[in-house]
Amino acid sequence: MTIPGSKANIGSETRAPEVLALEALGWALADERRAERLLSLTGLTPERLRGGISDTAVQAAVLEFLAAYEPDLILAADALDTTPEALIAAQQELSR
């Protein structure tokens, strides 16, 4: 049984993968240490982020960054009112 409004209902995510990626990027950039780690681990630059924000490869890289570190994945999902599984599914969709 799924409780209405529960995050356990993975299939209920209505936001597009691109929207989740942009929300996740905003969440990641809100913390200076996490933002620095994002840039370091993804190889993205601030300029590439600004210029490529609509690029699905950049969006997928942001979600892949979260997927690679479970504590951030869980924190981001909670902050974005979604599930870790929904973020992973969005990353997979954007990587196609």
Side-chain angles (χ1 to χ4, degrees):
M1 177 173 131
T2 301
I3 300 170
S6 168
K7 291 184 193 178
N9 189 357
I10 297 166
S12 70
E13 180 58 62
T14 59
R15 289 171 284 185
E18 298 83 359
V19 171
L20 283 174
L22 294 176
E23 290 177 350
L25 175 61
W27 178 83
L29 295 178
D31 178 84
E32 186 176 338
R33 290 179 65 186
R34 188 178 294 118
E36 289 174 9
R37 209 174 46 180
L38 169 72
L39 296 176
S40 176
L41 294 175
T42 62
L44 295 169
T45 64
E47 295 76 25
R48 176 72 173 115
L49 278 176
R50 277 187 224 99
I53 201 73
S54 62
D55 183 347
T56 56
V58 170
Q59 295 167 359
V62 170
L63 293 173
E64 188 174 334
F65 163 77
L66 292 177
Y69 186 62
E70 188 176 14
D72 277 352
L73 178 66
I74 292 168
L75 288 171
D78 188 53
L80 301 175
D81 196 29
T82 191
T83 63
E85 295 85 358
L87 292 173
I88 297 294
Q91 185 270 326
Q92 291 171 342
E93 180 69 26
L94 291 169
S95 294
R96 290 184 183 171

